[in-house]
Amino acid sequence: MAEYEHRHIDLSGLGVVRDYKSPGSNARQRTLQRIREEHGRRLVGELNAALQFTDQRREVLDLPDGAPPPDGVYLEVELAPGVGPTTLERKRERTRQGAVTVTANGARRIALFVPDDTRDVFDAVFRDYAFTEVEDGEKIPKKSRVEPVEHVRTARLQTFWRDDPDALPDDPQAEMWWALWCFRDRVERVDDLAQRLGLTVGDDDTRLRFPEVIVLPVHGRRAVIELLLFSTGGIAEIRRATDTPAVFTDELHGMVSDFVENLAERVTWPGRDVPAVCLLDTGINRGHALIEPALDRGDLHTVVADWGVDDHSNIGHGSGMAGLALHGDLTTQLGDASRPVLSHRLESVKILPPDSFEPNDPFSYGAITTSAAALPEIAASERPRVFCMAVTNENRSGAEPTGWSAALDQISSGADAVEEGPDHIRRLFVQALGNIGDSSHADEIADADAFPGEDPAQAWNVLTVGGTTLKSDIAEYAYRDWSGWSRPGDRSPYSRTTTLWRSSQSPIKPEVVFEAGNRAVSRSGIEAVSGLPSLSLLTTSKTAVPEPIVSFWATSAATAQAGRMAARMMAERPDYWPEAVRALMVHSARWTPHMLAEFAGAAGKAERKALTRKYGYGVPNLRRGIASARDDLALVAQRNIQPFRMDGGNVRFGDAHVYRLPWPRDVLESLGNERIRLKVTLSYFVEPNPSFASAIDPARYQSFGLRFDLKRARETERNFMRRVNKDDRDEGDLRPVNEDNDGWFFGPKSVSAGSVHMDIWEGSAVELAARDLLYVFPISGWWRERKALGRAESKSRYALVVGIEAPDVDVDLITPIATELANLIAAGVAIET
């Protein structure tokens, strides 16, 4: 090999130094420019095609009347394999990145939401990259954003699917539970449209909450889920809804204590002076991490000292009730990252004896319950509370008043108070309707109407609770071929009905329904099984170790949840009477899509009333009960009333109240024939008189009754007053003829007993604008009929809730009604006269 001699030569003086360019550099630059333009133009074409298809799809979306139109588009953006971490979100453009999936070759597909009002800005990003002329050495615009993008397509349901691909049904009509991972600030939009579309939506307690998303469980057909997805812009990703108590009772059984301790640390526990759920049951074992901080030793009571205060039942019934009354279904909270804030606490009165003692005499339960209610009031007299009882007189129908049911009415009404008057203590009782017993033979328990609600569920003043269920998916391997007995939103198969009660004399029971779990039925329909964890709720057990949580079901579970909601409402609105809390729970209730379908198929008002003996007035909602949405508002009044007065030796009717409803006439009249719903709920407590005749004549049982009437659209104010009150008519003056009063869902004839009345009027907005007077008036009772008892001039009180719903129009009703109220008050016009 030749050897070279290295010499260092100084070239510094030879002239100007210039950048080196290879002979092919211009050609390479042109090639790169061409590649960039081709890539950019292809993406611009794909984007335009995707937007055009999305717009066409939007034109054929079959949205319900009043639903807000879509305000953005979803795209599927595919990033090239090997591209590092890349975010497509931009604050200025308000784009949002949703589900991310990875293909077999390593490409990432991202669901991206682009608002309508920034589509041009987003489109300009790709056009700038593709069509801007760039000189040598200049920066390529939007290079870092566009070059990683391989494709832009129209988003599909598959774009959002973050579960096993085989689990996504191909059939558009296939039904299942879906877990919709929603952007926090858009979950209400998704929730509202889902309900408008007739989908079954899980309540607040079933929703997982994370820093950026809320997981909404929704049951329905794939086709409707796609409509919901592309109409709201609020869904980030979609999975199967797989949260089930079976995860904790089976798969994670060995780790349950860790989950319990973690939740206990996340909870903000309540103070001592907050409302309480007082459970009348088998006692509570308070040494549980999820119970002890909200249950003082001094709040554990028993009606017989020798019984003790701890939970003695084999299944831990009282402790299970406690967990649900305090936290609700624990399935969701154990698995999420929420930080619950408790605004209520627990109390306990043991009213059932341990096995080693003589059982209670069924005829003594009235006295036992009366004594039980007094114990916590003596210990903490200033604390608001709701009494919660899931004990019933087994197989004793509640068709007629009994000593026990009358005792509950007496406790609720405060008739046992030392001092009489409209403001003496009232008590809210939440009572279970009763369960259909277990049987492995499905045909033996198939006819729910053959199992009437049990005593004392017929008590007029209590809020009686039945069961519904949203639980349908079975996780237990041994029952993989079985199915849920009831469809989501139907009556729970554990819950009784009151269809066989005498419909004209008995109160509507239950008033409300809550989640009670589901039974499983075999493929043949012959066998049935109860208590599967996946079809049940999850709650605290009577032992903190080794099994701190257990499955719980039936109307006991439903009643505990109702007590929880009542206590939370009391905490939120301490100025509300027990009558008002009951009214708002009923007023906030809505029938599920399944229930609504049955009501829609009813032949008339009588059949609708019969359905309420199965479903009550629906499933209450806490948020709706304590606050009004923009197009769904409620006005609440709490008033004292004297139903009767002595006139010489006779007893005549006393007070009646007229409410001038503050309707914004200009707003309603501008809506013309748009449909508006008016919902009226009236709640009061009667003093019972369970005489021999009360079973056939409600007026013999109730101390008084109240009803309401609404001014007709073409009725003058003077004629309205003359029609509803004979004192406004001159002697010999005939009562004005009633204008047609149709439009009520149940009608006044459906109200004959009970002390809470709800009805819904639906008609045009312009007609409602003229129906602006509401009359609350007394009807007869034993205070009037039994003059010798000296109660004819007794006083009482009631709560009235009036609400407007405009589901099919996007209109702000709260603001103009608030303005109208202010104007009436400023002008000195009484809302009540």
Side-chain angles (χ1 to χ4, degrees), residues 284-306:
I284 301 174
N285 289 347
R286 67 182 292 270
H288 195 291
L290 295 178
I291 293 178
E292 187 272 337
L295 177 59
D296 289 348
R297 290 189 183 277
D299 291 327
L300 293 169
H301 309 280
T302 178
V303 294
V304 176
D306 291 343

Short mmCIF file of all heavy atoms in Angstrom, two decimals, residues 284-306:
data_model
loop_
_atom_site.label_atom_id
_atom_site.label_comp_id
_atom_site.label_asym_id
_atom_site.label_seq_id
_atom_site.Cartn_x
_atom_site.Cartn_y
_atom_site.Cartn_z
N ILE A 284 -76.47 -2.27 64.18
CA ILE A 284 -75.33 -2.03 63.29
C ILE A 284 -74.05 -2.31 64.06
O ILE A 284 -73.90 -1.90 65.20
CB ILE A 284 -75.31 -0.57 62.78
CG1 ILE A 284 -76.59 -0.23 62.02
CG2 ILE A 284 -74.09 -0.32 61.91
CD1 ILE A 284 -76.69 1.23 61.61
N ASN A 285 -73.12 -3.01 63.40
CA ASN A 285 -71.78 -3.15 63.95
C ASN A 285 -70.94 -1.99 63.42
O ASN A 285 -70.61 -1.94 62.24
CB ASN A 285 -71.17 -4.49 63.55
CG ASN A 285 -71.83 -5.65 64.26
OD1 ASN A 285 -72.57 -5.46 65.22
ND2 ASN A 285 -71.56 -6.86 63.79
N ARG A 286 -70.60 -1.06 64.31
CA ARG A 286 -69.97 0.18 63.86
C ARG A 286 -68.46 0.08 63.67
O ARG A 286 -67.84 1.04 63.20
CB ARG A 286 -70.28 1.32 64.85
CG ARG A 286 -69.66 1.18 66.21
CD ARG A 286 -70.06 2.33 67.13
NE ARG A 286 -69.50 3.60 66.73
CZ ARG A 286 -68.33 4.07 67.15
NH1 ARG A 286 -67.56 3.35 67.95
NH2 ARG A 286 -67.91 5.26 66.76
N GLY A 287 -67.84 -1.06 63.97
CA GLY A 287 -66.40 -1.15 63.84
C GLY A 287 -65.94 -1.37 62.42
O GLY A 287 -64.98 -2.12 62.17
N HIS A 288 -66.57 -0.75 61.47
CA HIS A 288 -66.23 -0.89 60.05
C HIS A 288 -65.65 0.43 59.58
O HIS A 288 -66.16 1.51 59.92
CB HIS A 288 -67.48 -1.25 59.25
CG HIS A 288 -67.21 -1.76 57.87
ND1 HIS A 288 -66.72 -0.97 56.85
CD2 HIS A 288 -67.36 -3.00 57.33
CE1 HIS A 288 -66.59 -1.69 55.75
NE2 HIS A 288 -66.98 -2.93 56.00
N ALA A 289 -64.60 0.36 58.78
CA ALA A 289 -63.92 1.58 58.34
C ALA A 289 -64.84 2.52 57.58
O ALA A 289 -64.62 3.74 57.57
CB ALA A 289 -62.72 1.22 57.46
N LEU A 290 -65.89 1.99 56.95
CA LEU A 290 -66.80 2.82 56.17
C LEU A 290 -68.06 3.19 56.95
O LEU A 290 -68.97 3.80 56.39
CB LEU A 290 -67.19 2.10 54.87
CG LEU A 290 -66.04 1.87 53.89
CD1 LEU A 290 -66.53 1.11 52.66
CD2 LEU A 290 -65.39 3.19 53.46
N ILE A 291 -68.14 2.84 58.23
CA ILE A 291 -69.29 3.17 59.06
C ILE A 291 -68.90 3.98 60.29
O ILE A 291 -69.54 4.99 60.62
CB ILE A 291 -70.04 1.89 59.50
CG1 ILE A 291 -70.68 1.21 58.29
CG2 ILE A 291 -71.10 2.20 60.54
CD1 ILE A 291 -71.39 -0.09 58.62
N GLU A 292 -67.87 3.55 60.99
CA GLU A 292 -67.53 4.11 62.30
C GLU A 292 -67.40 5.62 62.34
O GLU A 292 -67.92 6.27 63.26
CB GLU A 292 -66.24 3.43 62.81
CG GLU A 292 -65.87 3.78 64.23
CD GLU A 292 -65.01 5.03 64.29
OE1 GLU A 292 -64.36 5.35 63.27
OE2 GLU A 292 -65.00 5.69 65.35
N PRO A 293 -66.76 6.29 61.35
CA PRO A 293 -66.64 7.75 61.45
C PRO A 293 -67.96 8.50 61.36
O PRO A 293 -68.03 9.68 61.68
CB PRO A 293 -65.72 8.10 60.26
CG PRO A 293 -65.01 6.84 59.91
CD PRO A 293 -66.00 5.76 60.20
N ALA A 294 -69.03 7.83 60.92
CA ALA A 294 -70.33 8.51 60.76
C ALA A 294 -71.38 7.96 61.71
O ALA A 294 -72.57 8.25 61.55
CB ALA A 294 -70.81 8.37 59.31
N LEU A 295 -70.97 7.18 62.71
CA LEU A 295 -71.92 6.59 63.65
C LEU A 295 -71.30 6.58 65.04
O LEU A 295 -70.44 5.75 65.34
CB LEU A 295 -72.31 5.18 63.22
CG LEU A 295 -73.25 4.39 64.14
CD1 LEU A 295 -74.57 5.14 64.33
CD2 LEU A 295 -73.50 2.99 63.59
N ASP A 296 -71.73 7.50 65.89
CA ASP A 296 -71.23 7.55 67.27
C ASP A 296 -71.86 6.43 68.10
O ASP A 296 -72.98 5.98 67.83
CB ASP A 296 -71.57 8.89 67.91
CG ASP A 296 -70.75 10.03 67.34
OD1 ASP A 296 -69.77 9.75 66.63
OD2 ASP A 296 -71.10 11.20 67.60
N ARG A 297 -71.13 6.02 69.14
CA ARG A 297 -71.67 5.00 70.04
C ARG A 297 -72.98 5.46 70.68
O ARG A 297 -73.89 4.66 70.90
CB ARG A 297 -70.64 4.68 71.13
CG ARG A 297 -69.42 3.94 70.63
CD ARG A 297 -68.53 3.46 71.78
NE ARG A 297 -67.33 2.82 71.27
CZ ARG A 297 -67.27 1.55 70.89
NH1 ARG A 297 -68.36 0.81 70.95
NH2 ARG A 297 -66.14 1.03 70.43
N GLY A 298 -73.05 6.74 70.98
CA GLY A 298 -74.26 7.27 71.59
C GLY A 298 -75.46 7.29 70.69
O GLY A 298 -76.58 7.57 71.14
N ASP A 299 -75.26 7.00 69.40
CA ASP A 299 -76.37 6.98 68.44
C ASP A 299 -76.81 5.55 68.12
O ASP A 299 -77.56 5.33 67.17
CB ASP A 299 -75.97 7.70 67.16
CG ASP A 299 -75.81 9.20 67.37
OD1 ASP A 299 -76.54 9.75 68.21
OD2 ASP A 299 -74.94 9.80 66.72
N LEU A 300 -76.34 4.57 68.92
CA LEU A 300 -76.79 3.19 68.81
C LEU A 300 -77.81 2.94 69.92
O LEU A 300 -77.49 3.08 71.10
CB LEU A 300 -75.61 2.23 68.95
CG LEU A 300 -74.58 2.24 67.81
CD1 LEU A 300 -73.35 1.44 68.22
CD2 LEU A 300 -75.19 1.64 66.54
N HIS A 301 -79.03 2.57 69.55
CA HIS A 301 -80.10 2.38 70.52
C HIS A 301 -80.75 1.02 70.33
O HIS A 301 -80.58 0.35 69.31
CB HIS A 301 -81.17 3.47 70.36
CG HIS A 301 -80.62 4.87 70.36
ND1 HIS A 301 -80.28 5.53 71.51
CD2 HIS A 301 -80.35 5.73 69.33
CE1 HIS A 301 -79.82 6.74 71.20
NE2 HIS A 301 -79.86 6.88 69.88
N THR A 302 -81.52 0.61 71.30
CA THR A 302 -82.29 -0.63 71.22
C THR A 302 -83.55 -0.46 72.05
O THR A 302 -83.55 0.24 73.07
CB THR A 302 -81.48 -1.83 71.72
OG1 THR A 302 -82.29 -3.01 71.67
CG2 THR A 302 -80.98 -1.61 73.15
N VAL A 303 -84.64 -1.08 71.60
CA VAL A 303 -85.90 -0.95 72.34
C VAL A 303 -85.95 -1.87 73.55
O VAL A 303 -86.77 -1.68 74.45
CB VAL A 303 -87.12 -1.21 71.42
CG1 VAL A 303 -87.22 -0.14 70.35
CG2 VAL A 303 -87.07 -2.59 70.80
N VAL A 304 -85.08 -2.88 73.59
CA VAL A 304 -84.96 -3.76 74.75
C VAL A 304 -83.48 -3.84 75.10
O VAL A 304 -82.68 -4.32 74.29
CB VAL A 304 -85.53 -5.17 74.47
CG1 VAL A 304 -85.30 -6.09 75.67
CG2 VAL A 304 -87.00 -5.10 74.12
N ALA A 305 -83.12 -3.41 76.30
CA ALA A 305 -81.71 -3.30 76.66
C ALA A 305 -80.97 -4.63 76.54
O ALA A 305 -79.80 -4.67 76.13
CB ALA A 305 -81.59 -2.76 78.09
N ASP A 306 -81.63 -5.73 76.88
CA ASP A 306 -80.95 -7.03 76.85
C ASP A 306 -80.58 -7.48 75.44
O ASP A 306 -79.78 -8.40 75.27
CB ASP A 306 -81.84 -8.10 77.51
CG ASP A 306 -81.98 -7.89 79.01
OD1 ASP A 306 -81.14 -7.14 79.58
OD2 ASP A 306 -82.91 -8.46 79.61
#
